Structure formats: C-alpha cells, structure tokens
C-alpha cells in the first residue's frame, strides 16, 4: 500500500560515551548528521541546535533506548507516564539508559510540539518463550524484581532480519536464522518465523558473549566468592566486568579486534589469545542459538565487527561445521547499509550473510510506524 510521506525524522542514538544525531527523509536518505565522541551531557542541546539549523524541521524524533524494563515491552510515543517508566529501567542498563534519557529530556524541551518516540532494543525480544525468558531463581526474585531475560540489540536485529530476508528472497516470517551482532557489545539471537525465540544477553547487556570491554557471562559463584572471600565491593565488581573486562582484559592492550588482528600478525601472543577466546565464545553462542531453531536457513553477521572484520567471521564459521557452515568466506567489497552481501560460497548449505548495521534507520522506521498508528 502506498504510504504518504511524513517529512524529516530526527533519530537520536545516545550511548555511554557517544552521541549520534541523524535526520532522515522519507526514503531513509540522510539529510544531516552530527556525532560526538563524548558522553551526552550539557553539550547535547548545542549539538541538537546545530543539527536543526542545518536540516529541515523534523516532524518527529525517534530515540534509541537500550532497556525498557519490565513495564515497557514495545516502541511507544513518549508521554510523562512513559518517561517515568524509563526511569525505572535506568539501573538495569546504567551505562546506556541514563545518557539516552539526558538527550531525550533535552530534545523534548527543545522540540516540545512534535512527537517523540522511545524505540526499545528490548522490544524485539518481548515475546521470548518462557523457557528462554526465565532464570531458575526464586519466584519472588522474578515477580518482585522483574528478574528475567530481556535481550538487547533488538533494533539491530530487526534491521538485519529485514535486509537478509530481502537478499535471500524470503519473507522474514518464513525464515529461521541466527543473527550475530558483534561490535562494542556482542550478542547472538535465534529468530524463528520472524520472532526472537532466544538470545544470549539477559537481564542486562552484560550477559553472554565476550565483548570489547565487557566480560560477558561468568560463573555467578565466582562473583560471590570475590565479594565474600576477597572483599571486593559490588561497585568494584561491576566496574571491572563492565569497563575492564572483555577483549581489553584478555589482550592487555586494546578492545578493538582490528588492533588485535594486526598485533597477532606481528607475533603478539596475548592478542592472539584474546581473539581465540572471543571467537570461541561467538561459536558457542551461535551454536546455542541454533539449538532453539528447527533448521538454520542462514547465519547473519552485523555490528561493526560483524561487518568489518572478515578474519573474525572466518574463524567463527570455520569451526562450526556441525551447523553446516564452512570456511573460505568471501570478503565483500564496499558493502553499504543498503547493500547486504552473501559471503559464503555459491550453493553453501547454510548461507552466511553480512548486513551493515542500520539501527538508526530502524529507529526511523519504527518512529514512522508509530506516527501512522497514532494518526489512524
């Protein structure tokens, strides 16, 4: 059905140490953008003003929010009730949600007369089956504290699923795929018939795969042992796992796989060790996700590492032969956000697809969908 154009939409992606502002037109073309490599704060208003001076006036603002908490399970237009509910989710993702709310408040003050949408990474996983969703912990913890698997990177998964389906000539609701989002944060997701049925991240974005400077999963008994036997505080543990873990901790030099691949080639054994641990956990996570599917129609890589690091893709797939994957992946030339690529050999039993990340574009799409629903 033909959809009438709305006009420009401003997309806000605020991270723990960065801020990305983009104005899209009705065809997902970029009209203007601004980036900051510092944590969102007082400078956010100035950056917003600069962008708005360069671009057409937006008809709406879409905000990427990592965690919706137990109260918010779908993308929503922001009112005071929704804003209060987002406050309740802030301590579940303290590195991500507070900066997003800082910019949300600044944008609502600056643009009070247009709709603002909260586009939640957790929304994609809201329908997780109970067996995948629930932790084996006391019922009071689950009911009183909302302790469950929420899952993240949902906007990235939504975009990657749609682009991979188009490339493969299949409808998303007919596909069973594993998608691996590998970047600063890393996770894998099992998608059956267009819906998330399992994912490696859990209550917070800390669980699951090894990441840039986040540890990923660790025996919870080890954490209580560190606190009771060695008297580490909860704050010390939290800081170490979220900021001093992952590739940075393993290599001792860098949390960037590009640096580590170069260092390994130069003989740095710790860099090679870090990459070995990283790819091992990727394989284990992907295999675990495949166990939630009836078949594997494709493996999809996205995220900065997933799209830009062929060495990582090769090492992951070369040792997943039990899933029908093989080595010898191609290196795509000039892949763009609008051009996903099959990198497996022609006729491969399981196609391997690279989809450049498009979270901002997915926020734009979800925002426009909310506007249409609101106007209907």
């Amino acid at each position: 059905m033909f959809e009438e154009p709305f006009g420009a939409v401003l997309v806000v992606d605020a991270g723990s140490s960065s801020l990305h502002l983009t104005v899209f037109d009705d065809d997902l073309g970029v009209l203007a953008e601004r980036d900051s490599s510092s944590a969102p704060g007082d400078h956010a208003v100035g950056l917003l003003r600069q962008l708005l001076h360069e671009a057409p006036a937006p008809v709406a603002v879409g905000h990427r929010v990592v965690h919706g908490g137990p109260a918010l399970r779908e993308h929503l237009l922001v009112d005071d009730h929704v804003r209060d509910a987002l406050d309740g989710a802030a301590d579940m993702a303290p590195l991500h949600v507070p900066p997003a709310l800082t910019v949300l408040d600044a944008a609502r003050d600056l643009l009070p007369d247009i709709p603002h949408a909260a586009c939640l990474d957790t929304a994609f996983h809201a329908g997780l089956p109970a067996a995948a969703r629930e932790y084996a912990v006391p019922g009071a913890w689950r009911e009183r504290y909302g302790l469950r698997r929420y899952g993240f990177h949902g906007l990235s998964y939504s975009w990657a699923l749609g682009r991979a389906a188009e490339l493969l000539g299949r409808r998303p609701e007919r596909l069973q795929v594993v998608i691996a989002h590998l970047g600063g944060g890393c996770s894998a997701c099992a998608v059956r018939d267009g819906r998330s049925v399992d994912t490696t991240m859990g209550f917070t974005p800390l669980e699951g795969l090894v990441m840039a400077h986040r540890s990923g999963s660790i025996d919870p008994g080890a954490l209580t042992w560190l606190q009771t036997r060695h008297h580490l505080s909860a704050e010390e543990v939290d800081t170490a796992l979220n900021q001093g873990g992952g590739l940075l901790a393993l290599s001792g030099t860098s949390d960037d796989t590009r640096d580590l691949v170069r260092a390994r080639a130069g003989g740095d054994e710790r860099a090679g060790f870090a990459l070995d641990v990283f790819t091992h956990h990727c394989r284990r996570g992907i295999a675990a996700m495949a166990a939630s599917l009836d078949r594997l129609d494709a493996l999809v890589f996205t995220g900065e590492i997933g799209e830009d690091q062929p060495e990582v893709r090769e090492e992951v797939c070369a040792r997943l032969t039990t899933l029908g994957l093989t080595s010898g992946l191609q290196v795509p030339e000039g892949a763009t956000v609008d051009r996903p690529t099959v990198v497996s050999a022609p006729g491969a039993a399981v196609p391997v697809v690279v989809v450049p990340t498009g979270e901002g574009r997915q926020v734009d799409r979800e925002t426009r969908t909310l506007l249409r629903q609101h106007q209907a």
Side-chain angles (χ1 to χ4, degrees):
M1 178 183 292
F2 174 77
E3 294 177 338
E4 289 191 17
F6 275 110
V9 168
L10 168 59
V11 169
V12 177
D13 186 350
S16 58
S17 59
S18 63
L19 174 59
H20 306 289
L21 305 173
T22 312
V23 179
F24 291 104
D25 64 19
D26 289 286
D27 299 316
L28 289 177
V30 175
L31 297 172
E33 56 188 335
R34 287 276 179 169
D35 292 324
S36 170
S37 57
S38 58
D42 294 338
H43 74 289
V45 173
L47 206 63
L48 282 164
R49 289 186 186 278
Q50 291 174 21
L51 184 72
L52 294 172
H53 181 70
E54 299 170 2
V59 297
V61 184
H63 299 262
R64 181 191 173 203
V65 182
V66 164
H67 208 316
L72 304 179
R73 298 168 54 85
E74 59 186 357
H75 311 305
L76 294 163
L77 294 179
V78 178
D79 57 18
D80 290 343
H81 173 74
V82 170
R83 178 61 185 80
D84 289 344
L86 289 171
D87 263 337
D91 62 351
M92 295 180 176
L95 297 180
H96 298 87
V97 174
L101 297 184
T102 295
V103 187
L104 172 64
D105 291 340
R108 290 182 77 197
D109 288 342
L110 192 61
L111 298 166
D113 298 322
I114 63 173
H116 291 253
C119 299
L120 311 174
D121 270 309
T122 48
F124 186 71
H125 308 287
L128 280 174
R133 181 185 68 233
E134 299 298 337
Y135 292 115
V137 296
W141 292 12
R142 301 195 304 271
E143 295 162 11
R144 187 178 308 163
Y145 307 129
L147 196 63
R148 49 157 289 185
R149 183 178 304 281
Y150 289 94
F152 302 94
H153 291 138
L155 293 160
S156 176
Y157 289 138
S158 295
W159 177 262
L161 175 63
R163 303 296 73 70
E166 290 174 2
L167 180 64
L168 298 171
R170 306 275 294 276
R171 294 167 58 184
E173 58 269 25
R174 298 292 179 87
L175 280 176
Q176 298 200 33
V177 299
V178 172
I179 307 176
H181 177 105
L182 306 180
C186 300
S187 69
C189 177
V191 179
R192 183 197 300 141
D193 304 330
R195 299 171 63 90
S196 171
V197 294
D198 204 355
T199 188
T200 56
M201 279 184 170
F203 179 74
T204 74
L206 183 59
E207 188 180 0
L209 310 183
V210 171
M211 307 176 217
H213 46 77
R214 277 177 263 166
S215 66
S217 293
I218 183 172
D219 179 357
L223 304 182
T224 57
W225 178 79
L226 287 170
Q227 291 179 298
T228 58
R229 182 64 63 86
H230 294 282
H231 311 295
L232 270 67
S233 68
E235 183 178 358
E236 288 175 305
V237 171
D238 183 76
T239 299
L241 297 182
N242 276 292
Q243 301 175 29
L247 287 167
L248 179 62
L250 293 167
S251 70
T253 55
S254 177
D255 64 1
D256 191 321
T257 56
R258 294 169 296 186
D259 295 337
L260 298 178
V261 167
R262 286 191 293 267
R264 179 178 62 180
D268 186 329
E269 293 184 358
R270 283 194 67 178
F273 167 67
L275 289 167
D276 286 344
V277 174
F278 180 77
T279 55
H280 174 79
H281 281 256
C282 287
R283 290 191 295 270
R284 186 160 66 180
I286 289 167
M289 294 302 98
S292 290
L293 303 177
D294 303 316
R295 63 181 189 276
L296 185 57
D297 293 329
L299 171 62
V300 181
F301 286 100
T302 191
E304 292 177 353
I305 298 172
E307 66 183 88
D308 289 337
Q309 199 75 67
E311 296 88 350
V312 169
R313 295 195 300 264
E314 179 71 16
E315 290 170 33
V316 168
C317 292
R319 298 183 64 182
L320 279 176
T321 54
T322 53
L323 298 183
L325 297 160
T326 61
S327 59
L329 301 180
Q330 304 166 24
V331 178
E333 295 183 4
T336 68
V337 74
D338 297 316
R339 190 163 69 92
T341 308
V342 175
V343 295
S344 49
V350 178
V352 178
V353 178
V354 173
V355 178
T357 188
E359 289 161 315
R361 284 168 166 79
Q362 191 64 36
V363 170
D364 176 274
R365 288 190 167 189
E366 302 293 355
T367 300
R368 292 175 190 274
T369 297
L370 287 172
L371 291 178
R372 291 187 178 95
Q373 292 172 347
H374 183 70
Q375 293 177 2

